[in-house]
Amino acid sequence: MQSRAEESLPECVATALAGVRALTPYLPGKPLTELEREYGIVDAVKLASNENPLGPSPAAVSAAQATLTDLGRYPDGFGFELKEALSARLGVAIESLTLGNGSNDSLELIARIFLQPGVEAIYSEYAFLVYPMVIQAIGATARVARALPADHPQQPYGHDLTAMAALVNERTGVVFIANPNNPTGTWLGRDELLAFLEQLPPRVICVLDEAYFEYLDQPDYPNGLEWLTRFPNLIVARTFSKAYGLAALRVGFVVSHPAIADLLNRARQPFNVNSSALAAATAALTDRDHLARSVALNNQGLKQLSEGLRALGLAVIPSVANFVTVDLGREAAPIYDALLRRGVITRPIAGYGLPNHLRISVGLAEENRRLLSELEALIA
Ligand SMILES: *Cc1c(COP(=O)(O)O)cnc(C)c1O
């Protein structure tokens, strides 16, 4: 039976994978240029996509600029210099590395290699939306573990590893864990994550998404790389989009057992990371001061935003990342719209099942202040 809308579609569209036809597009944060176009606002601030408000290291910018004289050449498809720099910095073998066009590229690649119709993938309620998207697109079955309750003392809405473990069965192919998670900002400690990995069947891939790794200094926050030799089924994902401030260039990587990296590298597109991104990421690794400044600024901003929002009487999910998610106690969409009109872009997360929450990225101190004062005026 065809719906009205489908009648006019070319016949071939119906042959596309059912999961792809049913996909809901990922809703990115509103770009500043779009707000300027639509509302004529010129001094807008964007606190919507967990970007580094300082941007990248100047060393990364000049390295990217230097590549512009040679745009006629294909990039190094192996990414040798970046892999060598990552290998030295992280203490992992070059053979364990797979570069991606952002870590989302690698997440999609993992789904494509380890999932298929009839195979199940597990993730938590309120987990990063890219997981359900890549699972659905490949036609695999999503198993969603209920999250920790809203009134949990440390990790409201956080991943419940017991609930996730309970969903593992003989059909499970991949488990996705974000540590910390986006959009909740909640995180998992060393002992509980290790216990989860220990009980996971070795045939099941565990993707540990550490997109915000560089921001964390909690003594109990685990570095997934330390477990790679013990768990050959573990894949750790990192990115240059967040603390390194290189979101526009799209570069991330995953670290895994070399045999898994070999599969990923054979299946990826041959030139999935461009020359400017490779050069900028390599240079970014050398500028430890810029990274330290970015992390320090984030710590201050996280405190400023969390305390400011609580002072407005709002419940904030305790976050260790570069954003906070706040419960407005009412539908968030109208507040999001009103903030837009006042030139502040935040992120509504109804698509995650949290219609009363807004996710707010940490900005510069004055940007955080602006958000707090505009929000105060709106909810007064
Ligand atoms: C931002 C983010 C990523 C990284 O995305 P890129 O494709 O590297 O820009 C991955 N996982 C989570 C949970 C994120 O929030």
Side-chain angles (χ1 to χ4, degrees):
M1 193 93 69
Q2 282 196 326
S3 75
R4 252 272 168 53
E6 276 175 345
E7 274 171 33
S8 57
L9 291 177
E11 213 178 315
C12 51
V13 171
T15 67
L17 290 176
V20 174
R21 280 183 284 138
L23 274 181
T24 310
Y26 181 83
L27 221 68
K30 199 180 195 57
L32 282 164
T33 47
E34 193 176 304
L35 189 71
E36 287 169 14
R37 216 163 44 235
E38 288 176 3
Y39 297 81
I41 298 170
V42 289
D43 64 339
V45 303
K46 185 182 176 203
L47 303 175
S49 298
N50 304 344
E51 296 147 341
N52 182 342
L54 294 180
S57 152
V61 176
S62 7
Q65 269 161 351
T67 65
L68 300 181
T69 56
D70 207 17
L71 292 183
R73 304 271 174 213
Y74 279 99
D76 172 7
F78 184 78
F80 181 78
E81 284 173 20
L82 177 54
K83 280 187 181 168
E84 197 177 47
L86 282 170
S87 166
R89 167 62 76 88
L90 303 173
V92 299
I94 286 185
E95 296 72 35
S96 304
L97 289 163
T98 309
L99 304 180
N101 194 260
S103 57
N104 286 345
D105 179 34
S106 307
L107 296 173
E108 196 261 334
L109 186 62
I110 292 165
R112 201 144 58 72
I113 293 179
F114 291 102
L115 294 176
Q116 58 181 300
V119 175
E120 297 181 359
I122 298 170
Y123 61 90
S124 172
E125 196 181 5
Y126 315 126
F128 189 41
L129 265 184
V130 166
Y131 313 150
M133 289 188 72
V134 299
I135 296 164
Q136 183 182 327
I138 209 78
T141 303
R143 301 291 313 274
V144 188
R146 107 191 116 56
L148 293 172
D151 62 357
H152 190 276
Q154 287 93 38
Q155 311 282 340
Y157 306 97
H159 285 19
D160 181 343
L161 290 179
T162 309
M164 293 182 77
L167 294 180
V168 175
N169 62 35
E170 65 285 353
R171 292 179 300 280
T172 309
V174 178
V175 181
F176 290 96
I177 296 175
N179 195 32
N181 181 45
N182 170 14
T184 59
T186 51
W187 62 288
L188 299 159
R190 182 173 283 110
D191 291 351
E192 51 180 332
L193 202 45
L194 184 57
F196 178 86
L197 288 169
E198 279 169 341
Q199 58 75 52
L200 194 66
R203 134 197 95 62
V204 176
I205 294 282
C206 181
V207 177
L208 188 57
D209 184 347
E210 296 182 337
Y212 301 92
F213 178 84
E214 296 81 7
Y215 286 117
L216 277 84
D217 59 358
Q218 280 67 14
D220 190 33
Y221 177 66
N223 175 351
L225 300 180
E226 289 168 10
W227 291 329
L228 283 169
T229 41
R230 201 166 148 203
F231 301 103
N233 54 335
L234 178 64
I235 305 179
V236 177
R238 303 258 179 102
T239 181
F240 285 93
S241 299
K242 305 289 159 62
Y244 287 104
L246 286 170
L249 284 180
R250 316 302 306 126
V251 51
F253 60 96
V254 296
V255 195
S256 66
H257 189 282
I260 293 180
D262 179 47
L263 290 172
L264 296 172
N265 276 300
R266 277 187 276 154
R268 69 175 169 81
Q269 288 189 32
F271 304 104
N272 61 335
V273 184
N274 69 69
S275 309
S276 308
L278 288 171
T282 307
L285 286 174
T286 65
D287 192 347
R288 294 190 186 231
D289 289 347
H290 183 79
L291 184 64
R293 265 195 304 279
S294 304
V295 171
L297 181 77
N298 187 65
N299 286 337
Q300 290 161 14
L302 202 52
K303 192 161 177 285
Q304 179 192 7
L305 273 180
S306 307
E307 286 175 1
L309 292 165
R310 288 192 181 112
L312 299 179
L314 301 171
V316 175
I317 305 178
S319 170
V320 291
N322 66 348
F323 57 84
V324 285
T325 289
V326 58
D327 185 353
L328 299 176
R330 59 176 116 165
E331 205 198 332
I335 306 272
Y336 163 73
D337 277 327
L339 282 171
L340 274 188
R341 279 161 213 286
R342 289 163 176 256
V344 182
I345 313 176
T346 58
R347 193 71 163 270
I349 49 174
Y352 284 87
L354 294 169
N356 289 356
H357 287 74
L358 269 190
R359 195 191 70 194
I360 302 163
S361 306
V362 174
L364 301 171
E366 59 269 27
E367 296 175 327
N368 302 333
R369 259 195 304 277
R370 170 127 169 240
L371 172 279
L372 289 170
S373 71
E374 299 292 7
L375 186 60
E376 180 173 23
L378 283 171
I379 64 176

